Amino acid sequence: MSGDWLGSIVSINCGDTLGMYQGRVSAVDQLSQTISLTQPFHNGVKCLVPEVTFRAGDIVELKILELPVDSRRQTNNQFPENTTGMTTDYINGTAKQRPVETSNAQNIPHRSETRSNDSVGTSPQPCSKSYVDKQSEGLNQPKNFRRRHNSWSSSCRYSNQATPKKSGPKNGQLKARDDECFGDDLEEIPDTDFDFEGNLALFDKAAVFEEIDTHERKGGGGTGGGSKSRGTPSDRAPTYRHDENILESEPIVYRRIIVPQPGGKEYCTDSGLVVPSISYSLHKKLLSVAEKHGLSVEKRLEMAGICASQMALTLLGGPNRLNPKNVHQRPTVAFLCGPHIKGAQGISCGRHLANHDVDIILFLPNFVKMLEPVTNELNLFCQTEGKQVSNVKDLPDCPVDLVINCLDCHENAFLRDQPWYRAAVDWANQNRAPVLSIDPPVTDQEQGIRAKWSLELGLPLALGEQAGRVYLCDIGIPQKVFREVGISYHSPFGCKFVIPLHSMLE
């Protein structure tokens, strides 16, 4: 009887420790209770040894996957359809026989019968299918056959990735469909790539749209056909972007500021609004009328200091430079101030920057008598952690992050002849730091310190190229004050207090 099972393909379950083995039976010894498999597979992977022998005590379950040809014929002759055969289970070393239903059609699943078995919900073990595929393909497939890497049999190598079994006709239908899509029954896989460009050239987009338009004009579309016609561009409803206003409004007026005495130069904002320059005499008159209506010098200094400090914080890097996690890179700003209102504006800006954790070095020469606004701003600055120096030699030798120039004055031009002024200009030019000038005067000759940015107050003056890029800040002058001095004014600031100005070609 033991010789009848030689050549059978079996699956042996040796428990969790040894795992699953599949192979062809080469020897059965009833005395020593052993069975040998040739060309064995362990958990779906081919073993390195040509033959493996098992004892009955190591076998938990034994399944016969395929009988030899002679034994299959004898079995078909011995057992009629829908009769009961026997299968052997080795449990704890003891051989037991149990009945199993057999039939001529479904007793032993063949490779050609896999699809029919899957459709009724019965499928062989994945590892056994992999072994049968390897045995049959080794004999039947040509040499240039290439296996698909995503096939069902190649996934059986990984025995740990077990898929939970489901029963029912629905699962069987899905399994059959998966085998049709991912099965390894292809005889040949084409090696040539799909020609996307050639296939796309076969589609004539213009001809298709022309055919659709022709169909709509002949009655397929429009009111009669019930579908929406494409129409001509003039007949289509206008489309709008997400940032466009869909409501009709009045035409935009870009020249909203008209001055009685043009300063000789015009600027424009990022929105295209025209901002004309004014002369220094008109600018002085505007500030005088504003002071008469309550906009005192102290308020103007405070607004100028806040706007200048906000611009300086942006130039220093903004939130990327000034944050609690970057305390080791605190920026350093040097202020060059004179004993006048322009210098007081710089002192006010330095006080606000010091409150924002910026290292401030304020240069102000010693004078016996200074203006009251300058003295008041200096007293407030001394309450901060900023440093004040009166000698240019006390300024840092290494480059600073920013230099704010408030040395110049509109009226006291004689200050340029002072030794402290020339020393401060030389230090700024040698420091190689970018310079921001606050409310610089209009001069015919080159300034001693060439600025990269200049900040104007209220309305700009006609500055030259030495002023760099011009910015404008709002110091809070009411609209009726502009009207009183003869200026038709509409605010160009929008949602900001500091805006850039671009020089317009004359």
Side-chain angles (χ1 to χ4, degrees), residues 405 408 416 421 425 429 437 439-451 454 463 466-467:
N405 178 24
D408 298 296
R416 296 190 173 189
Y421 182 93
V425 170
N429 292 331
S437 295
D439 194 15
V442 179
T443 57
D444 296 334
Q445 57 183 355
E446 286 286 334
Q447 291 183 353
I449 302 177
R450 189 176 183 88
S454 294
L463 301 178
Q466 72 276 5

Side-chain angles (χ1 to χ4, degrees), residues 310-327 329 331 356:
Q310 184 63 49
M311 180 178 176
L313 290 173
T314 304
L315 296 177
L316 292 173
N320 297 325
R321 183 77 179 275
L322 299 167
N323 59 72
K325 297 181 180 180
N326 199 20
V327 293
Q329 292 184 348
H356 287 266

Side-chain angles (χ1 to χ4, degrees), residues 281-298:
S281 59
L282 183 58
H283 187 269
K284 184 178 180 181
K285 181 180 179 181
L286 177 63
L287 297 180
S288 177
V289 174
E291 186 175 354
K292 184 182 66 174
H293 285 281
L295 187 61
S296 62
V297 177
E298 289 77 11

Side-chain angles (χ1 to χ4, degrees), residues 146-444:
R146 184 175 62 184
R147 177 180 297 277
R148 293 186 57 159
H149 297 285
N150 60 345
S151 62
W152 178 68
S153 62
S154 62
S155 63
C156 299
R157 292 185 178 183
Y158 309 99
S159 59
N160 296 332
Q161 301 177 358
T163 304
K165 298 181 180 180
K166 297 182 181 179
S167 60
K170 182 177 180 181
N171 182 52
Q173 295 175 1
L174 295 177
K175 186 65 177 64
R177 186 175 62 184
D178 292 342
D179 285 345
E180 292 178 3
C181 183
F182 303 105
D184 53 358
D185 294 335
L186 288 176
E187 296 294 337
E188 184 179 358
I189 297 178
D191 296 331
T192 58
D193 297 334
F194 182 75
D195 187 6
F196 289 95
E197 295 182 358
N199 185 69
L200 185 61
L202 300 177
F203 175 69
D204 192 352
K205 185 177 180 180
V208 172
F209 282 127
E210 184 179 357
E211 183 180 355
I212 295 175
D213 294 338
T214 304
H215 175 71
E216 292 177 351
R217 286 194 297 268
K218 289 183 178 180
T223 56
S227 60
K228 185 177 180 180
S229 176
R230 293 173 59 87
T232 60
S234 60
D235 298 337
R236 301 175 189 172
T239 58
Y240 300 93
R241 298 195 310 268
H242 67 282
D243 57 345
E244 290 184 335
N245 186 11
I246 63 175
L247 300 179
E248 295 183 1
S249 57
E250 298 179 357
I252 301 176
V253 179
Y254 291 100
R255 191 176 293 274
R256 298 181 180 181
I257 302 176
I258 300 175
V259 296
Q261 301 174 7
K265 196 172 185 179
E266 287 186 341
Y267 301 90
C268 66
T269 64
D270 291 339
S271 302
L273 299 178
V274 178
V275 181
S277 63
I278 59 176
S279 61
Y280 173 68
S281 59
L282 183 58
H283 187 269
K284 184 178 180 181
K285 181 180 179 181
L286 177 63
L287 297 180
S288 177
V289 174
E291 186 175 354
K292 184 182 66 174
H293 285 281
L295 187 61
S296 62
V297 177
E298 289 77 11
K299 293 182 179 179
R300 192 169 74 243
L301 291 177
E302 191 70 14
M303 284 298 301
I306 292 176
C307 293
S309 62
Q310 184 63 49
M311 180 178 176
L313 290 173
T314 304
L315 296 177
L316 292 173
N320 297 325
R321 183 77 179 275
L322 299 167
N323 59 72
K325 297 181 180 180
N326 199 20
V327 293
H328 64 286
Q329 292 184 348
R330 293 177 59 179
T332 302
V333 179
F335 283 82
L336 305 179
C337 301
H340 39 64
I341 298 297
K342 306 302 178 184
Q345 293 174 351
I347 299 173
S348 176
C349 177
R351 169 168 55 89
H352 290 291
L353 289 180
N355 293 335
H356 287 266
D357 293 334
V358 179
D359 292 335
I360 303 299
I361 301 176
L362 176 64
F363 168 76
L364 182 65
N366 288 327
F367 281 84
V368 178
K369 184 178 180 181
M370 287 189 292
L371 298 177
E372 182 180 357
V374 179
T375 305
N376 295 336
E377 291 295 334
L378 187 60
N379 293 332
L380 288 174
F381 177 80
C382 293
Q383 306 304 318
T384 65
E385 295 182 357
K387 179 181 178 182
Q388 179 192 356
V389 297
S390 58
N391 194 336
V392 178
K393 296 181 180 180
D394 297 330
L395 292 173
D397 297 332
C398 58
V400 295
D401 294 276
L402 182 65
V403 174
I404 296 182
N405 178 24
C406 300
L407 292 174
D408 298 296
C409 181
H410 292 283
E411 298 177 350
N412 298 333
F414 67 91
L415 293 177
R416 296 190 173 189
D417 299 331
Q418 302 293 325
W420 60 266
Y421 182 93
R422 292 196 300 268
V425 170
D426 294 339
W427 176 88
N429 292 331
Q430 295 176 5
N431 192 265
R432 295 178 300 175
V435 179
L436 168 64
S437 295
I438 299 179
D439 194 15
V442 179
T443 57
D444 296 334

Side-chain angles (χ1 to χ4, degrees), residues 129-147:
K129 185 179 188 303
S130 174
Y131 176 80
V132 175
D133 291 344
K134 292 179 182 294
Q135 292 294 326
S136 60
E137 289 173 0
L139 299 176
N140 300 329
Q141 297 297 343
K143 295 182 179 180
N144 59 351
F145 178 78
R146 184 175 62 184
R147 177 180 297 277

